[in-house]
Amino acid sequence: TDTKADGAIASRAVISSSAVIRPALRHVAEKISSADDAGALRLFIPLMRCIRGVLKRLFTAQAQSGAGGGGGGGVNVMNAGDAQSFDALKSACIKFLEIVVVCFSSRAQPGSSAGRRARQQVTSSEDFALEDLPMGHPIITRQSLEEIGEDAFTVLRGLVTIGGQVKVDSGVISDVMLSLGLDANGQGSSPTAAILGILRPNSLTFLEIESTMQKAAIEANDDDEFPALDRTNIDTDFNLNQKSYALAINAVSMLSTNRPTFFLDSATCLAMRTLDPPVIEQSSLTKAAIMSVKSHLRASCLTLLRNSLSVTMRAADILHKALASDVCGMEIQADKALKMAKQAAALKTAGRAARNRAAIYYEWEGGGDQSNDMNNTNMKVDALSSKRRRAGDDALERMRAAKAARGLGNGIQLPNSMADASELILINLGNLPSSRAAATIGDKKSKSQTSDQKRRRPFTLDYFVDVIMTNGDSLASDENRWYGRDGGDAWVMDISALVSEDEGDDDEEMSGSTSAAHKSSKKRAPAPVTFTLDMKTANAVDATSKSETNEDVQLFKDQCDVAASDAFERILKRSRTVRDKSTADFANQIAARLAWSLNKVKPMNELKEANDGLAKGLIQISEKHEKSDTKNMIEGAKSFAEQYPLVASSIQFDLETKAQNVSSIENDTSTSSSSLIPSLTQRLLNEAYLDVDKAELGDEEAKTGGGRYEKTLELYISSVLQACNGADDKPADMRKKKIASTASSSLTKDLSQFPILTEKSLELASLLCDIDGITKKSDASKRATNQNLATVAATNAAKAAAEKRARTILGALRDAAFQRSKFEVRRNAVNCAVGIAAGRLPASHFVEEKGLQLVCNILYPKASDLADHVVAAATSELERAADYAIKNNDRITEANKEAQSQKSNQHLNPMLPQSDAEKTALDIVRKPANLFIALCIKRPEMIEAFLKTSCRGGAGVLAKAVRINMPKLARATAKKYGAPKMALQVADLASETETPLLLSFMDNLAPGTGSPPSQDLIDACLKIQSGRTIDGEIDPRYIIPVISGMKRSELEARLPEFVAVEDNVFRASLRRMSERLARQTFSFREEPENEPLLGMTLCEQMVYLHRMDFAAASLPQKKYLEAIRFCLEDDEVYTDRVIMAALDHISGTFLNGESLPLAYMRTIILTCSKHETLHSWICHELLPRLIKGRVYNDKRQWEGWMRCAKMLESGDAGVSSLDAIERLPEEYYHIYRSKYPAKKHG
């Protein structure tokens, strides 16, 4: 890959690389097929490096070595030897580029059938195309390699059209590398990206020139489809010489035939270059080389025009116009080639006679110019051989027709017409071999026995028909079944003439008295046959009609059931093989009517297998949804299937046969009309819906077919469920995957056509939304290290299919709610959708979110009646959640107490579940609460019912779930309607028992961050507070949400109100005051003149708590002191720095003449006990400052000062208050020492 290496050596290396690509790719494909993804990648990465190195030499070596030029010619700065070696390298690289396109493209013709192509096209073992690369590898994909092939082919077209490689702008290179994620050296995360980084700039540059040329022709109103290209202003990196030009033309021509997908582009490229050939003025080629290139282009165009693909790919007109132009002057050759191409294209769909005529024509055409005897002899031999072969074929056909007429050979098929079938049987009566016919009569050893005694089994019409059809092979058939083939065995055939004939033959053998002529004439005489009704069967029928019971009657009934089941199965199978859609629909109608009529007949053969599979699947579904409300519906469907086995087996058979024929249905051009024909399942449901005696049923029963229609619909949906569950259980089973896909798609179509959709049936269909099992299996396969790539891919595909089915069911519910005219169906669809969104019906989290969006964003806004249905269903779901919470309240309470006793930390988040039982309950009630919240946003008056239901006695877990999700409701309604309006409205709707949830709502109305609460919201909260008093006392809880936006002066005045309430309310008020002032926590702000201060910092809270006039607020002194202690004990919020800032501010105002608060020295003493880090500051700063302010003049404060000094005098941590004590005036020093004498040392 060194661009400075010798060109001759590099050209040989490129030739070797060309021979490596196909074998290496085949090895990569084998590794992928054997699921060795790592081994495939180990081979693939070096191969991509090899391709990148060769392409790098082609597009960089010439430019770097100066072999290119501008304006088409360029200046070659190399010597002759270097130029020759690089020309050889250039030719080898172009051949290599051709191989890259062949390997990285598809050999399929666009629009052709894959199956037909696989049968018709036989490829060489040396060839490699994208079809040979197995799918499933995460990196080595057909798409990435196809991009390389397309770019390489575009580069080849550019080389032929331009005559060299156009100079690429550096900006294009950088953009392409950036889009592919390549670094400056052209390296990226994907092995193919580096190759695209080399090819794509060159291909884009040519495409830009091509589009510019076409645009210029359009603007100039030029009718010429192939305008000439001005190459004088095109800069090239390198130009092609005669050899490399020939290789490029060959490459484009070869790709057009071997890769039909490139045929049209190749033909257009060669035709354009043929009409605009290279000239000496714009090329570095010699005159002889230009003539050679022109001849090569014309020959390539003629070859492509002669190919039948030129007609099928619509390139014939382009090639013919190029060859017939004045530049080429080959109109006669072009006409002949086009005629041959059209004839070859027509022969692809022609009959045998046309192909035979064409073969003779081509033989004559091929030998027209040669008249030697050898060729003539060969033609005669071929003609005779063909004639002999046709004669043999005709004789074989005549023989087969004669044997079919006689009923011999391999047997015959009876005509559909009963009259024709009877006539054919009677005609063949004389052709039955006498030896076999005699053998059926019985043992001829005893001549004295009568024919009835000799006969082992009755010779019936059906018996004789089977003999004719099988040429006597049915003589060893089962003798136990005497009723079969629609009553054929009920007829007895009298063949006494054949018996007497055989007996006469035996007498002749013994006596020899009968002549040969008489014997021959007797055999040629027609055998008289008499049919009589078998009385045994007739007696059984008569006894059955009289309700008698005996063995013959039971046998008759059993045989009737067997015959009915057999005939029913034949009707179903025939409906699946007939081509006429109307006939198939007629068969479905008959089968549907019979399935309900033969309600006690058991299925046989394939129908029995289908019925057993359905029963097994229903059991699995019932076990899966053991704890769900839908289990009873599954059990009901299973019992109904046992009652009507033919109906159940027909439904399952219909699903399986649909999956088998899905490919043919997709390829059928008449699907648009055939899709309107009802399926067998639809016919069964129609029969169940219509075959009801309305007079014997009530209104509700008549609407659902007396229960039979409803049960059938549930059975059908259950069959679809078991098909989808089977696909999820075995993701790699392609048959089950196809059945599930067909069943789910059929279900959605059928749900839109059924006359009635009951709520139970829709709930059953919603079980398709429960995809937790396949989701967990997919996640586990991704985490497992021992899973191969194919298993992981199959599991992920099964998960994607399950998600698609779930979305499809949601779409079916939407359509039922929108398009149905019956009130019950619309309501049932809404109830089911709400049940999915509320978690009542089993569904995964992904589907529940989709269901919530369906209910709130689609169903609710559609129409007012749908909105009312949604609200009613959501209310019912919320009531159900409240009932669940009340029912499990005691169990949850006990579990919480047990969990709390095992946890040492009691400061837990109250919104978190305290036990597993509470966590489970929260998950259940959270979903209907979220649904109701979403509807409350659209209809705020629903908040009253929301609060009332959530605050029912014993429904604590529901109230907790509501509080957890209250921010969604409060913020959404505040954004839509305004926070003040919603606060007042909800306060009016809430009663006293609902106050906790009202406070939670108001607490979330105020914004937690950003701008402070508006004055309108503050006024609304003050209004609510004044209107919801308790025994004439206002409740400060109603203004806590907005106190961060209230003025500090107002908060100072209201501070006693917060101190007087419970500790948790007091703590919440303090937190709210300072929530927006985190940066000013340790400062006491000075009041500005124009703008009032909002909220309180932590430092200000401590200061104002000390300065509070508790007596004027009618607060006990004890409550005042406890409030300060409460803050000091919360050392996580009120840290040592906060306390120091507050004490420092108060001491500073004391020096300015203000008196110390009552609890000031008490706070200092408590601080000494709580915060050892402040001892040094207290000893050296605070106590001396208090002496300076003459603290000893206040008796209470002086007493506190002395106690504090005594606590710190000992200096346990190296800090002592002795320095402050010694600063006392002498009088007060003696007072201090008289009370606290100094310790004597030594």
Side-chain angles (χ1 to χ4, degrees):
T1 59
D2 185 7
T3 56
K4 298 182 180 179
D6 182 39
I9 298 175
S11 63
R12 290 192 292 271
V14 172
I15 294 173
S16 302
S17 301
S18 302
V20 167
I21 296 181
R22 289 187 179 92
L25 287 174
R26 283 196 295 272
H27 283 299
V28 170
E30 292 174 0
K31 292 290 185 180
I32 298 176
S33 299
S34 59
D36 186 6
D37 295 340
L41 199 59
R42 285 194 297 270
L43 291 173
F44 183 72
I45 292 177
L47 179 62
M48 294 298 103
R49 291 175 180 169
C50 173
I51 296 175
R52 178 175 178 269
V54 174
L55 297 179
K56 189 176 180 182
R57 290 303 303 263
L58 175 62
F59 295 110
T60 60
Q62 298 291 342
Q64 291 179 358
S65 302
V75 180
N76 194 345
V77 298
M78 295 186 297
N79 54 40
D82 292 340
Q84 185 177 3
S85 63
F86 276 107
D87 285 341
L89 174 60
K90 190 191 313 177
S91 302
C93 289
I94 291 176
K95 185 64 178 177
F96 181 89
L97 193 63
E98 172 193 341
I99 297 174
V100 169
V101 179
V102 171
C103 294
F104 293 166
S105 59
S106 173
R107 65 169 67 94
Q109 181 176 346
S112 63
S113 174
R116 183 171 68 252
R117 184 176 63 253
R119 294 190 299 268
Q120 292 179 353
Q121 190 172 11
V122 180
T123 59
S124 173
S125 59
E126 299 296 327
D127 189 19
F128 185 90
L130 290 180
E131 291 90 341
D132 302 327
L133 183 68
M135 294 185 293
H137 199 284
I139 297 176
I140 310 174
T141 62
R142 295 181 181 179
Q143 182 180 1
S144 59
L145 299 183
E146 189 176 13
E147 291 181 0
I148 296 177
E150 291 176 353
D151 287 346
F153 177 72
T154 304
V155 170
L156 276 176
R157 288 199 302 118
L159 292 176
V160 174
T161 303
I162 305 299
Q165 177 56 46
V166 183
K167 182 180 285 295
V168 182
D169 185 33
S170 59
V172 176
I173 297 177
S174 61
D175 292 341
V176 170
M177 294 179 67
L178 181 63
S179 63
L180 295 174
L182 302 176
D183 55 14
N185 297 325
Q187 300 293 335
S189 58
S190 173
T192 58
I195 300 176
L196 291 174
I198 297 176
L199 290 174
R200 187 152 294 174
N202 297 277
S203 64
L204 291 177
T205 303
F206 166 68
L207 292 175
E208 183 181 6
I209 294 176
E210 188 179 37
S211 62
T212 303
M213 178 181 64
Q214 296 174 355
K215 184 178 179 181
I218 294 173
E219 292 177 354
N221 294 325
D222 193 354
D223 295 334
D224 190 3
E225 296 182 7
F226 307 106
L229 178 63
D230 186 9
R231 297 174 177 82
T232 56
N233 297 324
I234 298 177
D235 295 335
T236 57
D237 283 335
F238 63 88
N239 296 319
L240 299 179
N241 58 7
Q242 181 179 353
K243 180 180 179 181
S244 57
Y245 221 136
L247 288 173
I249 295 172
N250 281 337
V252 174
S253 179
M254 186 277 297
L255 289 172
S256 64
T257 55
N258 291 343
R259 296 294 182 262
T261 185
F262 296 136
F263 191 93
L264 181 59
D265 292 334
S266 300
T268 305
C269 173
L270 293 176
M272 290 177 62
R273 195 51 171 161
T274 302
L275 290 172
D276 185 20
V279 294
I280 297 177
E281 293 78 6
Q282 299 181 2
S283 175
S284 60
L285 299 174
T286 62
K287 183 177 181 181
I290 290 176
M291 294 179 63
S292 175
V293 170
K294 289 181 179 179
S295 177
H296 197 172
L297 288 170
R298 295 171 184 174
S300 299
C301 288
L302 190 61
T303 303
L304 294 186
L305 181 58
R306 191 178 292 115
N307 196 314
S308 61
L309 287 174
S310 64
V311 178
T312 58
M313 301 301 292
R314 300 179 181 179
D317 294 339
I318 302 172
L319 295 170
H320 186 273
K321 182 176 181 180
L323 293 172
S325 63
D326 296 336
V327 178
C328 298
M330 300 175 62
E331 185 175 1
I332 298 176
Q333 295 89 331
D335 293 340
K336 187 175 181 180
L338 180 58
K339 182 179 179 181
M340 293 176 63
K342 289 182 178 179
Q343 185 176 6
L347 286 175
K348 291 184 178 181
T349 56
R352 178 182 297 176
R355 291 196 294 269
N356 290 338
R357 288 194 299 270
I360 297 174
Y361 170 75
Y362 283 129
E363 287 177 358
W364 177 81
E365 283 287 317
D369 296 336
Q370 299 176 358
S371 58
N372 55 64
D373 295 336
M374 181 63 69
N375 289 337
N376 294 333
T377 303
N378 291 337
M379 291 174 60
K380 292 179 180 180
V381 170
D382 291 341
L384 291 174
S385 177
S386 177
K387 182 178 181 180
R388 188 182 302 112
R389 184 165 53 252
R390 289 196 301 272
D393 292 341
D394 294 340
L396 181 60
E397 290 298 327
R398 287 194 298 271
M399 183 187 69
R400 289 174 178 172
K403 294 181 71 175
R406 295 193 307 269
L408 303 177
N410 295 324
I412 61 174
Q413 295 292 332
L414 291 179
N416 293 331
S417 173
M418 180 62 71
D420 294 342
S422 302
E423 183 179 359
L424 182 62
I425 291 172
L426 294 176
I427 291 174
N428 284 275
L429 183 61
N431 297 326
L432 186 66
S434 58
S435 60
R436 292 198 178 187
T440 63
I441 303 305
D443 191 2
K444 296 189 291 183
K445 293 181 179 180
S446 178
K447 302 179 183 179
S448 60
Q449 294 178 343
T450 62
S451 61
D452 292 337
Q453 292 175 335
K454 294 178 182 179
R455 192 186 311 166
R456 296 180 180 176
R457 56 186 294 186
F459 204 134
T460 62
L461 174 64
D462 179 59
Y463 194 82
F464 181 70
V465 170
D466 288 340
V467 171
I468 294 296
M469 294 180 63
T470 62
N471 194 26
D473 291 341
S474 64
L475 297 177
S477 61
D478 185 14
E479 297 183 4
N480 295 326
R481 181 173 173 180
W482 58 272
Y483 184 90
R485 295 184 57 86
D486 303 327
D489 285 338
W491 293 90
V492 178
M493 179 184 295
D494 184 7
I495 55 171
S496 57
L498 292 178
V499 174
S500 61
E501 177 187 0
D502 293 332
E503 291 177 350
D505 292 342
D506 294 338
D507 295 338
E508 286 177 350
E509 293 175 3
M510 297 178 64
S511 62
S513 61
T514 306
S515 65
H518 177 71
K519 177 181 177 182
S520 175
S521 62
K522 189 174 182 179
K523 286 185 178 181
R524 288 194 298 267
V529 178
T530 304
F531 296 97
T532 58
L533 183 65
D534 186 3
M535 296 308 298
K536 184 177 181 181
T537 305
N539 293 335
V541 173
D542 184 58
T544 303
S545 62
K546 296 179 181 180
S547 301
E548 297 179 4
T549 56
N550 52 54
E551 293 183 358
D552 290 340
V553 170
Q554 186 61 39
L555 180 61
F556 175 76
K557 290 181 179 179
D558 294 341
Q559 291 295 321
C560 286
D561 292 345
V562 171
S565 179
D566 190 18
F568 182 80
E569 184 176 7
R570 291 201 307 272
I571 292 174
L572 286 186
K573 290 183 177 179
R574 181 59 177 169
S575 67
R576 294 302 184 268
T577 57
V578 68
R579 288 183 175 272
D580 187 9
K581 301 301 181 182
S582 59
T583 305
D585 181 51
F586 181 66
N588 288 339
Q589 295 181 50
I590 296 176
R593 184 66 61 87
L594 289 175
W596 288 114
S597 302
L598 307 173
N599 58 340
K600 295 181 180 180
V601 175
K602 303 296 182 182
M604 296 175 58
N605 303 329
E606 295 184 17
L607 287 181
K608 186 177 184 301
E609 295 177 1
N611 192 29
D612 295 342
L614 175 60
K616 184 178 179 181
L618 292 179
I619 293 174
Q620 294 177 353
I621 298 174
S622 179
E623 293 175 353
K624 180 179 179 181
H625 301 283
E626 181 72 27
K627 299 180 180 180
S628 175
D629 296 337
T630 55
K631 180 185 177 182
N632 296 332
M633 288 185 284
I634 300 294
E635 294 293 338
K638 187 167 63 174
S639 61
F640 186 76
E642 295 173 355
Q643 183 179 1
Y644 294 94
L646 286 183
V647 174
S649 59
S650 299
I651 292 174
Q652 184 66 18
F653 180 79
D654 191 31
L655 289 180
E656 294 179 357
T657 53
K658 281 181 182 178
Q660 294 173 1
N661 300 330
V662 66
S663 59
S664 61
I665 292 175
E666 290 175 353
N667 294 329
D668 192 359
T669 58
S670 62
T671 52
S672 59
S673 60
S674 63
S675 60
L676 301 177
I677 299 177
S679 63
L680 175 60
T681 303
Q682 292 174 336
R683 288 298 184 186
L684 287 167
L685 283 162
N686 291 343
E687 289 292 333
Y689 182 74
L690 296 176
D691 191 17
V692 178
D693 189 358
K694 307 293 184 179
E696 298 179 359
L697 300 174
D699 293 338
E700 294 298 326
E701 290 180 327
K703 290 178 181 178
T704 60
R708 196 166 72 174
Y709 171 81
E710 180 180 357
K711 293 296 184 182
T712 309
L713 182 57
E714 293 174 7
L715 179 61
Y716 168 52
I717 297 175
S718 300
S719 65
V720 176
L721 283 175
Q722 69 90 19
C724 296
N725 285 341
D728 292 343
D729 292 339
K730 295 183 178 180
D733 192 334
M734 297 303 297
R735 176 179 174 273
K736 292 188 175 182
K737 180 179 178 181
K738 184 179 291 185
I739 292 175
S741 176
T742 308
S744 60
S745 61
S746 299
L747 176 62
T748 55
K749 296 177 182 177
D750 293 340
L751 289 179
S752 63
Q753 300 175 6
F754 290 153
I756 291 292
L757 294 179
T758 62
E759 187 170 1
K760 290 184 178 180
S761 63
L762 292 176
E763 289 181 358
L764 265 181
S766 67
L767 292 181
L768 289 175
C769 299
D770 186 11
I771 60 175
D772 285 337
I774 187 62
T775 301
K776 293 178 181 178
K777 185 180 293 186
S778 177
D779 296 340
S781 65
K782 292 178 181 178
R783 293 192 298 267
T785 58
N786 58 344
Q787 294 283 357
N788 57 30
L789 187 61
T791 303
V792 176
T795 309
N796 291 338
K799 176 186 175 183
E803 292 178 351
K804 181 180 179 180
R805 292 195 295 266
R807 289 193 295 266
T808 304
I809 290 299
L810 293 178
L813 294 176
R814 176 203 60 201
D815 296 340
F818 285 175
Q819 300 173 4
R820 294 295 182 132
S821 59
K822 294 184 179 180
F823 171 81
E824 294 82 0
V825 178
R826 292 161 62 89
R827 183 188 60 190
N828 294 338
V830 171
N831 290 342
C832 189
V834 171
I836 294 174
R840 175 173 58 86
L841 300 177
S844 63
H845 179 71
F846 162 78
V847 183
E848 288 174 351
E849 292 294 332
K850 295 292 183 182
L852 184 62
Q853 296 175 7
L854 170 64
V855 172
C856 297
N857 299 339
I858 299 177
L859 295 181
Y860 183 89
K862 182 65 176 179
S864 59
D865 60 334
L866 286 180
D868 295 337
H869 290 332
V870 169
V871 171
T875 304
S876 177
E877 296 294 340
L878 188 65
E879 291 288 348
R880 187 179 289 107
D883 294 339
Y884 172 84
I886 295 172
K887 180 180 179 181
N888 295 272
N889 182 52
D890 296 338
R891 181 176 60 87
I892 295 172
T893 303
E894 293 296 329
N896 289 346
K897 289 181 180 179
E898 184 179 356
Q900 288 177 356
S901 62
Q902 297 176 359
K903 297 178 181 179
S904 58
N905 186 11
Q906 299 298 326
H907 300 285
L908 299 176
N909 188 348
M911 294 293 102
L912 295 177
Q914 301 180 17
S915 62
D916 293 339
E918 187 179 22
K919 181 179 180 180
T920 303
L922 281 174
D923 290 339
I924 294 175
V925 301
R926 173 183 55 84
K927 299 169 185 176
N930 282 341
L931 171 63
F932 214 89
I933 286 173
L935 295 176
C936 288
I937 296 172
K938 299 179 179 295
R939 191 180 289 187
E941 58 269 18
M942 294 176 57
I943 297 178
E944 180 179 6
F946 184 50
L947 299 179
K948 182 178 180 180
T949 305
S950 303
C951 293
R952 287 172 55 185
V957 67
L958 177 59
K960 187 172 185 177
V962 172
R963 286 196 299 271
I964 293 174
N965 294 278
M966 190 63 79
K968 301 178 183 178
L969 175 61
R971 293 168 186 171
T973 53
K975 183 178 181 180
K976 188 173 183 179
Y977 304 103
K981 178 181 178 181
M982 289 307 305
L984 294 172
Q985 183 177 353
V986 175
D988 293 339
L989 297 175
S991 62
E992 290 297 331
T993 57
E994 300 153 11
T995 300
L997 292 184
L998 171 61
L999 293 173
S1000 176
F1001 179 81
M1002 295 178 62
D1003 187 61
N1004 289 281
L1005 275 180
T1009 57
S1011 58
S1014 63
Q1015 188 60 41
D1016 293 338
L1017 181 59
I1018 296 174
D1019 295 340
C1021 292
L1022 292 174
K1023 184 178 180 181
I1024 294 171
Q1025 183 189 35
S1026 61
R1028 300 178 70 91
T1029 59
I1030 303 176
D1031 297 333
E1033 298 291 334
I1034 61 175
D1035 191 346
R1037 293 180 297 175
Y1038 294 106
I1039 64 171
I1040 288 178
V1042 296
I1043 56 178
S1044 61
M1046 297 177 67
K1047 299 178 182 179
R1048 189 177 69 177
S1049 57
E1050 296 179 2
L1051 294 177
E1052 181 184 2
R1054 291 181 176 272
L1055 195 59
E1057 299 176 8
F1058 300 115
V1059 174
V1061 295
E1062 295 85 354
D1063 290 345
N1064 58 341
V1065 180
F1066 178 49
R1067 181 188 289 111
S1069 64
L1070 295 177
R1071 178 182 59 83
R1072 279 287 193 173
M1073 290 180 189
S1074 60
E1075 67 180 358
R1076 301 178 185 279
L1077 303 172
R1079 295 184 178 181
Q1080 302 173 358
T1081 297
F1082 311 117
S1083 62
F1084 188 93
R1085 299 168 295 168
E1086 296 296 333
E1087 190 81 28
E1089 296 181 358
N1090 299 327
E1091 185 178 357
L1093 297 176
L1094 303 180
M1096 273 191 185
T1097 65
L1098 295 178
C1099 174
E1100 293 168 352
Q1101 291 175 11
M1102 290 299 299
V1103 171
Y1104 285 120
L1105 279 176
H1106 281 83
R1107 292 179 178 176
M1108 183 176 60
D1109 189 357
F1110 58 89
S1114 302
L1115 282 176
Q1117 180 178 341
K1118 181 180 180 181
K1119 191 68 175 178
Y1120 161 74
L1121 297 177
E1122 286 180 353
I1124 297 176
R1125 178 188 287 272
F1126 179 80
C1127 295
L1128 291 174
E1129 290 178 352
D1130 191 3
D1131 54 358
E1132 294 182 359
V1133 177
Y1134 298 91
T1135 61
D1136 52 354
R1137 293 185 61 188
V1138 174
I1139 302 302
M1140 184 179 71
L1143 295 177
D1144 183 71
H1145 177 77
I1146 295 175
S1147 64
T1149 58
F1150 176 61
L1151 293 179
N1152 294 333
E1154 293 187 12
S1155 60
L1156 292 174
L1158 176 64
Y1160 183 73
M1161 290 308 304
R1162 181 175 180 272
T1163 301
I1164 295 176
I1165 295 172
L1166 293 175
T1167 302
C1168 292
S1169 303
K1170 188 73 174 177
H1171 301 288
E1172 187 178 349
T1173 56
L1174 296 181
H1175 286 183
S1176 177
W1177 176 77
I1178 293 174
C1179 292
H1180 298 97
E1181 295 290 337
L1182 186 57
L1183 292 180
R1185 184 183 301 172
L1186 295 177
I1187 294 173
K1188 185 177 179 181
R1190 298 180 181 181
V1191 68
Y1192 40 77
N1193 291 336
D1194 188 336
K1195 182 178 180 181
R1196 180 185 289 270
Q1197 302 297 341
W1198 166 240
E1199 182 66 27
W1201 191 96
M1202 289 191 295
R1203 290 184 182 182
C1204 180
K1206 175 60 180 176
M1207 290 177 62
L1208 301 177
E1209 183 179 359
S1210 59
D1212 296 335
V1215 178
S1216 176
S1217 61
L1218 285 174
D1219 183 52
I1221 295 172
E1222 292 176 356
R1223 292 186 183 184
L1224 287 170
E1226 184 177 356
E1227 176 184 359
Y1228 292 99
Y1229 178 79
H1230 290 299
I1231 293 174
Y1232 174 81
R1233 284 303 178 192
S1234 63
K1235 189 171 184 177
Y1236 302 107
K1239 294 182 180 180
K1240 295 182 179 180
H1241 301 282

